[in-house]
Amino acid sequence: MKRVDLIRHLEAHGCLLLREGSNHTVFLNRAARKVSTVPRHREINEDLARKICKDLEVPRPSA
């Protein structure tokens, strides 16, 4: 999955950019009070994308 597609999916489900790190971007889901990091790679493994969504308590991304 492309990183930009995952970020669009997270933002569409209410997640906000918390901060930028050197190797990761940190997202926050205020409703669930959950935080997760998204690595700075062009492609993100499907399993990792599902884990990030699970950590932030948002629905799985569609393929």
Side-chain angles (χ1 to χ4, degrees):
M1 161 175 254
K2 298 249 186 239
R3 181 178 189 271
V4 293
D5 294 336
L6 177 60
I7 290 174
R8 283 187 194 129
H9 175 76
L10 295 176
E11 290 174 343
H13 288 91
C15 296
L16 303 172
L17 173 71
L18 184 60
R19 66 183 171 85
E20 294 281 350
S22 60
N23 296 320
H24 292 82
T25 303
V26 181
F27 278 88
L28 166 71
N29 183 348
R30 283 191 165 178
R33 294 186 174 182
K34 301 291 180 175
V35 176
S36 187
T37 59
V38 177
R40 293 240 180 114
H41 302 290
R42 288 181 191 256
E43 288 287 329
I44 295 177
N45 188 333
E46 294 293 328
D47 295 331
L48 180 58
R50 279 191 299 254
K51 187 209 178 290
I52 291 168
C53 290
K54 182 179 178 183
D55 289 347
L56 291 170
E57 295 183 2
V58 298
R60 296 169 114 183
S62 58

Short mmCIF file of all heavy atoms in Angstrom, two decimals:
data_model
loop_
_atom_site.label_atom_id
_atom_site.label_comp_id
_atom_site.label_asym_id
_atom_site.label_seq_id
_atom_site.Cartn_x
_atom_site.Cartn_y
_atom_site.Cartn_z
N MET A 1 0.84 -1.17 0.00
CA MET A 1 0.00 0.00 0.00
C MET A 1 0.89 1.23 0.00
O MET A 1 1.92 1.26 0.66
CB MET A 1 -0.89 -0.05 1.24
CG MET A 1 -1.51 1.24 1.64
SD MET A 1 -2.65 1.11 3.01
CE MET A 1 -4.15 1.28 2.12
N LYS A 2 0.49 2.23 -0.75
CA LYS A 2 1.24 3.48 -0.79
C LYS A 2 1.03 4.24 0.53
O LYS A 2 -0.05 4.23 1.11
CB LYS A 2 0.76 4.34 -1.95
CG LYS A 2 0.99 3.69 -3.29
CD LYS A 2 2.03 4.43 -4.02
CE LYS A 2 2.16 3.86 -5.42
NZ LYS A 2 3.48 3.37 -5.67
N ARG A 3 2.08 4.91 0.97
CA ARG A 3 2.04 5.66 2.23
C ARG A 3 0.97 6.76 2.18
O ARG A 3 0.22 6.94 3.13
CB ARG A 3 3.41 6.27 2.49
CG ARG A 3 3.49 7.06 3.76
CD ARG A 3 4.91 7.60 3.96
NE ARG A 3 5.05 8.18 5.27
CZ ARG A 3 4.80 9.45 5.55
NH1 ARG A 3 4.42 10.26 4.60
NH2 ARG A 3 4.94 9.91 6.77
N VAL A 4 0.88 7.47 1.06
CA VAL A 4 -0.10 8.55 0.96
C VAL A 4 -1.53 8.02 1.05
O VAL A 4 -2.39 8.68 1.62
CB VAL A 4 0.09 9.39 -0.32
CG1 VAL A 4 1.38 10.15 -0.27
CG2 VAL A 4 0.00 8.55 -1.55
N ASP A 5 -1.77 6.81 0.51
CA ASP A 5 -3.11 6.22 0.60
C ASP A 5 -3.45 5.88 2.05
O ASP A 5 -4.58 6.08 2.50
CB ASP A 5 -3.21 4.97 -0.27
CG ASP A 5 -3.09 5.29 -1.76
OD1 ASP A 5 -3.39 6.44 -2.14
OD2 ASP A 5 -2.70 4.39 -2.52
N LEU A 6 -2.48 5.35 2.79
CA LEU A 6 -2.71 5.04 4.20
C LEU A 6 -2.98 6.31 4.99
O LEU A 6 -3.91 6.36 5.82
CB LEU A 6 -1.51 4.29 4.79
CG LEU A 6 -1.62 3.96 6.28
CD1 LEU A 6 -2.83 3.08 6.57
CD2 LEU A 6 -0.35 3.31 6.78
N ILE A 7 -2.22 7.36 4.74
CA ILE A 7 -2.43 8.63 5.46
C ILE A 7 -3.80 9.21 5.14
O ILE A 7 -4.50 9.68 6.04
CB ILE A 7 -1.29 9.61 5.13
CG1 ILE A 7 0.00 9.12 5.78
CG2 ILE A 7 -1.62 11.02 5.58
CD1 ILE A 7 1.22 9.90 5.42
N ARG A 8 -4.22 9.15 3.88
CA ARG A 8 -5.57 9.63 3.52
C ARG A 8 -6.63 8.83 4.26
O ARG A 8 -7.63 9.38 4.72
CB ARG A 8 -5.79 9.52 2.03
CG ARG A 8 -5.11 10.59 1.25
CD ARG A 8 -5.50 10.53 -0.22
NE ARG A 8 -4.60 11.36 -0.99
CZ ARG A 8 -3.95 10.96 -2.06
NH1 ARG A 8 -4.12 9.75 -2.53
NH2 ARG A 8 -3.14 11.77 -2.69
N HIS A 9 -6.43 7.51 4.35
CA HIS A 9 -7.39 6.65 5.04
C HIS A 9 -7.47 7.02 6.53
O HIS A 9 -8.56 7.13 7.09
CB HIS A 9 -6.96 5.18 4.89
CG HIS A 9 -7.80 4.22 5.66
ND1 HIS A 9 -9.06 3.85 5.25
CD2 HIS A 9 -7.57 3.56 6.83
CE1 HIS A 9 -9.56 3.01 6.13
NE2 HIS A 9 -8.67 2.82 7.10
N LEU A 10 -6.33 7.24 7.16
CA LEU A 10 -6.31 7.60 8.58
C LEU A 10 -6.99 8.95 8.81
O LEU A 10 -7.80 9.10 9.73
CB LEU A 10 -4.87 7.64 9.10
CG LEU A 10 -4.12 6.31 9.11
CD1 LEU A 10 -2.68 6.53 9.57
CD2 LEU A 10 -4.81 5.29 9.97
N GLU A 11 -6.67 9.93 7.96
CA GLU A 11 -7.28 11.26 8.11
C GLU A 11 -8.77 11.23 7.85
O GLU A 11 -9.54 11.96 8.48
CB GLU A 11 -6.58 12.25 7.20
CG GLU A 11 -5.17 12.58 7.65
CD GLU A 11 -4.40 13.46 6.69
OE1 GLU A 11 -4.82 13.58 5.52
OE2 GLU A 11 -3.37 14.01 7.12
N ALA A 12 -9.22 10.37 6.94
CA ALA A 12 -10.65 10.25 6.65
C ALA A 12 -11.42 9.67 7.83
O ALA A 12 -12.62 9.89 7.96
CB ALA A 12 -10.87 9.38 5.41
N HIS A 13 -10.72 8.95 8.70
CA HIS A 13 -11.36 8.35 9.87
C HIS A 13 -11.03 9.09 11.16
O HIS A 13 -11.11 8.53 12.26
CB HIS A 13 -10.98 6.87 9.98
CG HIS A 13 -11.64 6.04 8.93
ND1 HIS A 13 -11.06 5.80 7.70
CD2 HIS A 13 -12.84 5.43 8.91
CE1 HIS A 13 -11.87 5.06 6.98
NE2 HIS A 13 -12.97 4.83 7.69
N GLY A 14 -10.66 10.35 11.03
CA GLY A 14 -10.54 11.22 12.20
C GLY A 14 -9.18 11.26 12.87
O GLY A 14 -9.04 11.85 13.94
N CYS A 15 -8.16 10.67 12.28
CA CYS A 15 -6.83 10.72 12.88
C CYS A 15 -6.13 12.01 12.47
O CYS A 15 -6.30 12.50 11.36
CB CYS A 15 -6.00 9.51 12.44
SG CYS A 15 -6.69 7.96 13.02
N LEU A 16 -5.34 12.53 13.39
CA LEU A 16 -4.65 13.79 13.16
C LEU A 16 -3.14 13.58 13.22
O LEU A 16 -2.65 12.74 13.97
CB LEU A 16 -5.02 14.81 14.24
CG LEU A 16 -6.49 15.13 14.40
CD1 LEU A 16 -6.70 15.99 15.63
CD2 LEU A 16 -7.01 15.82 13.17
N LEU A 17 -2.42 14.38 12.45
CA LEU A 17 -0.97 14.37 12.50
C LEU A 17 -0.55 14.98 13.83
O LEU A 17 -0.90 16.12 14.14
CB LEU A 17 -0.41 15.20 11.33
CG LEU A 17 1.09 15.41 11.34
CD1 LEU A 17 1.81 14.11 11.03
CD2 LEU A 17 1.46 16.48 10.35
N LEU A 18 0.16 14.20 14.62
CA LEU A 18 0.61 14.70 15.93
C LEU A 18 1.96 15.37 15.80
O LEU A 18 2.16 16.50 16.25
CB LEU A 18 0.68 13.55 16.94
CG LEU A 18 1.03 13.91 18.36
CD1 LEU A 18 0.01 14.86 18.95
CD2 LEU A 18 1.13 12.66 19.21
N ARG A 19 2.92 14.67 15.16
CA ARG A 19 4.24 15.27 14.95
C ARG A 19 4.99 14.49 13.89
O ARG A 19 4.65 13.37 13.56
CB ARG A 19 5.04 15.32 16.24
CG ARG A 19 5.42 13.96 16.78
CD ARG A 19 6.17 14.09 18.11
NE ARG A 19 6.35 12.80 18.72
CZ ARG A 19 7.34 11.96 18.45
NH1 ARG A 19 8.26 12.30 17.58
NH2 ARG A 19 7.43 10.80 19.05
N GLU A 20 6.02 15.12 13.37
CA GLU A 20 6.91 14.50 12.38
C GLU A 20 8.20 14.15 13.09
O GLU A 20 8.80 14.98 13.75
CB GLU A 20 7.21 15.48 11.24
CG GLU A 20 6.02 15.82 10.40
CD GLU A 20 5.67 14.76 9.38
OE1 GLU A 20 6.46 13.83 9.18
OE2 GLU A 20 4.60 14.88 8.78
N GLY A 21 8.64 12.92 12.91
CA GLY A 21 9.95 12.51 13.41
C GLY A 21 10.89 12.41 12.23
O GLY A 21 10.52 12.71 11.09
N SER A 22 12.11 11.95 12.48
CA SER A 22 13.06 11.84 11.37
C SER A 22 12.76 10.64 10.49
O SER A 22 12.95 10.69 9.28
CB SER A 22 14.48 11.74 11.92
OG SER A 22 14.61 10.60 12.75
N ASN A 23 12.26 9.55 11.07
CA ASN A 23 11.98 8.33 10.31
C ASN A 23 10.51 7.93 10.30
O ASN A 23 10.13 7.03 9.57
CB ASN A 23 12.79 7.16 10.86
CG ASN A 23 14.28 7.36 10.70
OD1 ASN A 23 14.72 7.86 9.67
ND2 ASN A 23 15.03 7.02 11.72
N HIS A 24 9.70 8.56 11.14
CA HIS A 24 8.29 8.19 11.26
C HIS A 24 7.43 9.44 11.38
O HIS A 24 7.90 10.50 11.77
CB HIS A 24 8.06 7.34 12.51
CG HIS A 24 8.67 5.99 12.43
ND1 HIS A 24 10.00 5.77 12.71
CD2 HIS A 24 8.15 4.79 12.09
CE1 HIS A 24 10.26 4.49 12.55
NE2 HIS A 24 9.16 3.87 12.17
N THR A 25 6.16 9.27 11.07
CA THR A 25 5.15 10.29 11.30
C THR A 25 4.21 9.73 12.35
O THR A 25 3.79 8.58 12.27
CB THR A 25 4.37 10.58 10.00
OG1 THR A 25 5.31 10.97 9.00
CG2 THR A 25 3.36 11.68 10.20
N VAL A 26 3.88 10.53 13.36
CA VAL A 26 3.05 10.07 14.47
C VAL A 26 1.64 10.59 14.28
O VAL A 26 1.44 11.80 14.09
CB VAL A 26 3.63 10.53 15.82
CG1 VAL A 26 2.78 10.03 16.97
CG2 VAL A 26 5.07 10.05 15.97
N PHE A 27 0.66 9.67 14.31
CA PHE A 27 -0.75 10.03 14.17
C PHE A 27 -1.49 9.76 15.47
O PHE A 27 -1.15 8.84 16.21
CB PHE A 27 -1.40 9.24 13.04
CG PHE A 27 -1.13 9.84 11.69
CD1 PHE A 27 -0.02 9.49 10.97
CD2 PHE A 27 -2.00 10.79 11.16
CE1 PHE A 27 0.25 10.06 9.75
CE2 PHE A 27 -1.75 11.36 9.94
CZ PHE A 27 -0.62 11.01 9.22
N LEU A 28 -2.52 10.56 15.72
CA LEU A 28 -3.31 10.49 16.93
C LEU A 28 -4.78 10.34 16.57
O LEU A 28 -5.27 11.03 15.68
CB LEU A 28 -3.12 11.79 17.74
CG LEU A 28 -4.09 12.08 18.88
CD1 LEU A 28 -3.82 11.13 20.03
CD2 LEU A 28 -3.94 13.51 19.34
N ASN A 29 -5.45 9.41 17.24
CA ASN A 29 -6.89 9.28 17.14
C ASN A 29 -7.45 9.80 18.46
O ASN A 29 -7.39 9.11 19.48
CB ASN A 29 -7.31 7.83 16.91
CG ASN A 29 -8.80 7.69 16.72
OD1 ASN A 29 -9.56 8.61 16.97
ND2 ASN A 29 -9.22 6.53 16.28
N ARG A 30 -7.93 11.03 18.46
CA ARG A 30 -8.40 11.66 19.70
C ARG A 30 -9.59 10.94 20.31
O ARG A 30 -9.70 10.82 21.52
CB ARG A 30 -8.77 13.11 19.45
CG ARG A 30 -7.59 13.99 19.35
CD ARG A 30 -8.02 15.42 19.36
NE ARG A 30 -6.86 16.24 19.63
CZ ARG A 30 -6.90 17.55 19.66
NH1 ARG A 30 -8.03 18.17 19.45
NH2 ARG A 30 -5.81 18.23 19.91
N ALA A 31 -10.50 10.45 19.47
CA ALA A 31 -11.70 9.79 19.98
C ALA A 31 -11.34 8.55 20.79
O ALA A 31 -11.93 8.28 21.82
CB ALA A 31 -12.63 9.43 18.83
N ALA A 32 -10.37 7.79 20.31
CA ALA A 32 -9.97 6.55 20.98
C ALA A 32 -8.77 6.76 21.90
O ALA A 32 -8.39 5.85 22.64
CB ALA A 32 -9.63 5.50 19.94
N ARG A 33 -8.18 7.97 21.87
CA ARG A 33 -6.99 8.27 22.66
C ARG A 33 -5.86 7.27 22.36
O ARG A 33 -5.24 6.74 23.27
CB ARG A 33 -7.29 8.29 24.14
CG ARG A 33 -8.20 9.41 24.54
CD ARG A 33 -8.37 9.47 26.02
NE ARG A 33 -9.14 10.65 26.36
CZ ARG A 33 -9.42 10.99 27.59
NH1 ARG A 33 -9.00 10.25 28.59
NH2 ARG A 33 -10.12 12.07 27.83
N LYS A 34 -5.63 7.06 21.07
CA LYS A 34 -4.60 6.12 20.63
C LYS A 34 -3.59 6.84 19.74
O LYS A 34 -3.93 7.78 19.02
CB LYS A 34 -5.21 4.97 19.83
CG LYS A 34 -6.23 4.16 20.61
CD LYS A 34 -5.57 3.37 21.70
CE LYS A 34 -6.60 2.56 22.45
NZ LYS A 34 -6.03 1.69 23.44
N VAL A 35 -2.34 6.38 19.77
CA VAL A 35 -1.26 6.96 18.98
C VAL A 35 -0.55 5.83 18.26
O VAL A 35 -0.38 4.74 18.81
CB VAL A 35 -0.26 7.71 19.88
CG1 VAL A 35 0.91 8.23 19.09
CG2 VAL A 35 -0.95 8.84 20.61
N SER A 36 -0.14 6.08 17.02
CA SER A 36 0.64 5.11 16.26
C SER A 36 1.56 5.84 15.30
O SER A 36 1.31 6.99 14.94
CB SER A 36 -0.27 4.15 15.49
OG SER A 36 0.48 3.11 14.90
N THR A 37 2.62 5.15 14.88
CA THR A 37 3.58 5.75 13.96
C THR A 37 3.47 5.12 12.59
O THR A 37 3.18 3.94 12.45
CB THR A 37 5.02 5.57 14.48
OG1 THR A 37 5.28 4.18 14.63
CG2 THR A 37 5.23 6.27 15.80
N VAL A 38 3.71 5.95 11.57
CA VAL A 38 3.71 5.50 10.18
C VAL A 38 5.13 5.74 9.66
O VAL A 38 5.62 6.87 9.70
CB VAL A 38 2.69 6.30 9.34
CG1 VAL A 38 2.76 5.89 7.88
CG2 VAL A 38 1.29 6.10 9.89
N PRO A 39 5.80 4.67 9.18
CA PRO A 39 7.17 4.86 8.69
C PRO A 39 7.21 5.68 7.41
O PRO A 39 6.22 5.78 6.70
CB PRO A 39 7.66 3.43 8.44
CG PRO A 39 6.43 2.62 8.29
CD PRO A 39 5.36 3.29 9.08
N ARG A 40 8.36 6.27 7.14
CA ARG A 40 8.53 7.09 5.95
C ARG A 40 9.07 6.26 4.80
O ARG A 40 10.19 6.46 4.35
CB ARG A 40 9.51 8.22 6.26
CG ARG A 40 8.97 9.21 7.23
CD ARG A 40 8.93 10.57 6.57
NE ARG A 40 8.42 11.53 7.51
CZ ARG A 40 9.11 12.52 8.01
NH1 ARG A 40 10.36 12.69 7.66
NH2 ARG A 40 8.57 13.34 8.86
N HIS A 41 8.29 5.31 4.34
CA HIS A 41 8.63 4.52 3.15
C HIS A 41 7.55 4.78 2.12
O HIS A 41 6.39 5.01 2.48
CB HIS A 41 8.65 3.01 3.46
CG HIS A 41 9.60 2.63 4.54
ND1 HIS A 41 10.96 2.68 4.38
CD2 HIS A 41 9.38 2.19 5.80
CE1 HIS A 41 11.53 2.28 5.50
NE2 HIS A 41 10.61 1.99 6.38
N ARG A 42 7.88 4.72 0.84
CA ARG A 42 6.87 4.92 -0.20
C ARG A 42 5.82 3.83 -0.15
O ARG A 42 4.63 4.09 -0.30
CB ARG A 42 7.51 4.94 -1.57
CG ARG A 42 8.30 6.18 -1.84
CD ARG A 42 8.89 6.13 -3.23
NE ARG A 42 9.86 7.17 -3.41
CZ ARG A 42 9.62 8.27 -4.09
NH1 ARG A 42 8.46 8.45 -4.67
NH2 ARG A 42 10.54 9.18 -4.21
N GLU A 43 6.27 2.60 0.06
CA GLU A 43 5.36 1.45 0.15
C GLU A 43 5.35 0.95 1.59
O GLU A 43 6.40 0.81 2.21
CB GLU A 43 5.83 0.32 -0.77
CG GLU A 43 5.62 0.59 -2.23
CD GLU A 43 4.17 0.50 -2.66
OE1 GLU A 43 3.40 -0.29 -2.07
OE2 GLU A 43 3.80 1.22 -3.59
N ILE A 44 4.16 0.67 2.11
CA ILE A 44 4.01 0.12 3.45
C ILE A 44 3.37 -1.25 3.31
O ILE A 44 2.36 -1.40 2.60
CB ILE A 44 3.16 1.05 4.33
CG1 ILE A 44 3.91 2.37 4.51
CG2 ILE A 44 2.87 0.42 5.67
CD1 ILE A 44 3.18 3.41 5.29
N ASN A 45 3.95 -2.22 3.96
CA ASN A 45 3.46 -3.59 3.94
C ASN A 45 1.99 -3.63 4.37
O ASN A 45 1.59 -2.93 5.31
CB ASN A 45 4.33 -4.42 4.88
CG ASN A 45 4.06 -5.88 4.83
OD1 ASN A 45 2.96 -6.31 4.49
ND2 ASN A 45 5.07 -6.66 5.16
N GLU A 46 1.19 -4.47 3.72
CA GLU A 46 -0.24 -4.57 4.04
C GLU A 46 -0.46 -4.96 5.51
O GLU A 46 -1.37 -4.46 6.16
CB GLU A 46 -0.92 -5.59 3.13
CG GLU A 46 -0.95 -5.19 1.67
CD GLU A 46 -1.84 -3.99 1.40
OE1 GLU A 46 -2.86 -3.81 2.09
OE2 GLU A 46 -1.50 -3.23 0.50
N ASP A 47 0.38 -5.88 6.02
CA ASP A 47 0.24 -6.29 7.42
C ASP A 47 0.51 -5.13 8.37
O ASP A 47 -0.19 -4.96 9.37
CB ASP A 47 1.19 -7.45 7.74
CG ASP A 47 0.84 -8.71 6.97
OD1 ASP A 47 -0.36 -8.90 6.65
OD2 ASP A 47 1.76 -9.50 6.70
N LEU A 48 1.50 -4.32 8.05
CA LEU A 48 1.82 -3.16 8.88
C LEU A 48 0.70 -2.13 8.81
O LEU A 48 0.33 -1.53 9.83
CB LEU A 48 3.14 -2.54 8.46
CG LEU A 48 3.59 -1.31 9.24
CD1 LEU A 48 3.71 -1.63 10.73
CD2 LEU A 48 4.91 -0.79 8.70
N ALA A 49 0.12 -1.93 7.64
CA ALA A 49 -0.99 -0.98 7.49
C ALA A 49 -2.19 -1.42 8.34
O ALA A 49 -2.82 -0.60 9.01
CB ALA A 49 -1.39 -0.86 6.03
N ARG A 50 -2.47 -2.73 8.34
CA ARG A 50 -3.57 -3.25 9.18
C ARG A 50 -3.26 -3.05 10.66
O ARG A 50 -4.14 -2.70 11.44
CB ARG A 50 -3.81 -4.72 8.89
CG ARG A 50 -4.64 -4.95 7.65
CD ARG A 50 -5.07 -6.39 7.56
NE ARG A 50 -3.89 -7.25 7.48
CZ ARG A 50 -3.48 -7.87 6.39
NH1 ARG A 50 -4.16 -7.77 5.29
NH2 ARG A 50 -2.40 -8.60 6.39
N LYS A 51 -2.00 -3.25 11.07
CA LYS A 51 -1.62 -3.08 12.47
C LYS A 51 -1.76 -1.63 12.90
O LYS A 51 -2.24 -1.33 13.99
CB LYS A 51 -0.19 -3.56 12.71
CG LYS A 51 0.17 -3.56 14.19
CD LYS A 51 1.64 -3.34 14.39
CE LYS A 51 1.99 -3.29 15.85
NZ LYS A 51 1.50 -2.10 16.51
N ILE A 52 -1.34 -0.70 12.03
CA ILE A 52 -1.46 0.72 12.35
C ILE A 52 -2.93 1.09 12.54
O ILE A 52 -3.30 1.78 13.49
CB ILE A 52 -0.80 1.58 11.25
CG1 ILE A 52 0.72 1.38 11.28
CG2 ILE A 52 -1.16 3.05 11.40
CD1 ILE A 52 1.44 1.95 10.08
N CYS A 53 -3.80 0.60 11.64
CA CYS A 53 -5.23 0.87 11.76
C CYS A 53 -5.81 0.25 13.03
O CYS A 53 -6.64 0.85 13.71
CB CYS A 53 -5.97 0.36 10.53
SG CYS A 53 -5.60 1.32 9.05
N LYS A 54 -5.36 -0.94 13.36
CA LYS A 54 -5.84 -1.60 14.58
C LYS A 54 -5.40 -0.81 15.81
O LYS A 54 -6.18 -0.62 16.74
CB LYS A 54 -5.29 -3.03 14.65
CG LYS A 54 -5.76 -3.80 15.84
CD LYS A 54 -5.21 -5.22 15.82
CE LYS A 54 -5.65 -5.96 17.07
NZ LYS A 54 -5.08 -7.30 17.12
N ASP A 55 -4.14 -0.35 15.82
CA ASP A 55 -3.63 0.44 16.94
C ASP A 55 -4.43 1.73 17.13
O ASP A 55 -4.66 2.15 18.26
CB ASP A 55 -2.16 0.80 16.74
CG ASP A 55 -1.23 -0.40 16.87
OD1 ASP A 55 -1.68 -1.46 17.35
OD2 ASP A 55 -0.06 -0.26 16.47
N LEU A 56 -4.84 2.35 16.02
CA LEU A 56 -5.58 3.61 16.09
C LEU A 56 -7.09 3.39 16.17
O LEU A 56 -7.85 4.36 16.24
CB LEU A 56 -5.26 4.47 14.86
CG LEU A 56 -3.83 5.02 14.83
CD1 LEU A 56 -3.55 5.65 13.47
CD2 LEU A 56 -3.62 6.02 15.94
N GLU A 57 -7.51 2.13 16.14
CA GLU A 57 -8.93 1.75 16.23
C GLU A 57 -9.76 2.38 15.11
O GLU A 57 -10.82 2.96 15.35
CB GLU A 57 -9.50 2.09 17.61
CG GLU A 57 -8.85 1.29 18.72
CD GLU A 57 -9.44 1.57 20.09
OE1 GLU A 57 -10.39 2.37 20.19
OE2 GLU A 57 -8.94 0.98 21.05
N VAL A 58 -9.24 2.27 13.88
CA VAL A 58 -9.99 2.68 12.69
C VAL A 58 -10.19 1.44 11.82
O VAL A 58 -9.48 0.45 11.98
CB VAL A 58 -9.27 3.79 11.88
CG1 VAL A 58 -9.10 5.05 12.72
CG2 VAL A 58 -7.93 3.34 11.37
N PRO A 59 -11.16 1.44 10.89
CA PRO A 59 -11.39 0.29 10.03
C PRO A 59 -10.18 -0.03 9.17
O PRO A 59 -9.37 0.85 8.87
CB PRO A 59 -12.56 0.70 9.14
CG PRO A 59 -13.15 1.89 9.78
CD PRO A 59 -12.10 2.52 10.64
N ARG A 60 -10.08 -1.29 8.78
CA ARG A 60 -8.99 -1.72 7.91
C ARG A 60 -9.08 -0.99 6.58
O ARG A 60 -10.18 -0.73 6.07
CB ARG A 60 -9.10 -3.21 7.61
CG ARG A 60 -8.94 -4.06 8.82
CD ARG A 60 -9.32 -5.47 8.45
NE ARG A 60 -8.14 -6.32 8.54
CZ ARG A 60 -8.14 -7.60 8.23
NH1 ARG A 60 -9.24 -8.17 7.78
NH2 ARG A 60 -7.07 -8.31 8.36
N PRO A 61 -7.93 -0.69 5.99
CA PRO A 61 -7.96 -0.04 4.66
C PRO A 61 -8.38 -1.03 3.59
O PRO A 61 -8.05 -2.22 3.67
CB PRO A 61 -6.51 0.41 4.46
CG PRO A 61 -5.70 -0.47 5.34
CD PRO A 61 -6.59 -0.84 6.49
N SER A 62 -9.11 -0.56 2.63
CA SER A 62 -9.51 -1.44 1.52
C SER A 62 -8.36 -1.53 0.54
O SER A 62 -7.59 -0.60 0.36
CB SER A 62 -10.76 -0.89 0.83
OG SER A 62 -10.50 0.41 0.35
N ALA A 63 -8.27 -2.67 -0.10
CA ALA A 63 -7.16 -2.90 -1.03
C ALA A 63 -7.37 -2.13 -2.26
O ALA A 63 -7.16 -1.28 -2.81
CB ALA A 63 -7.06 -4.37 -1.41
#
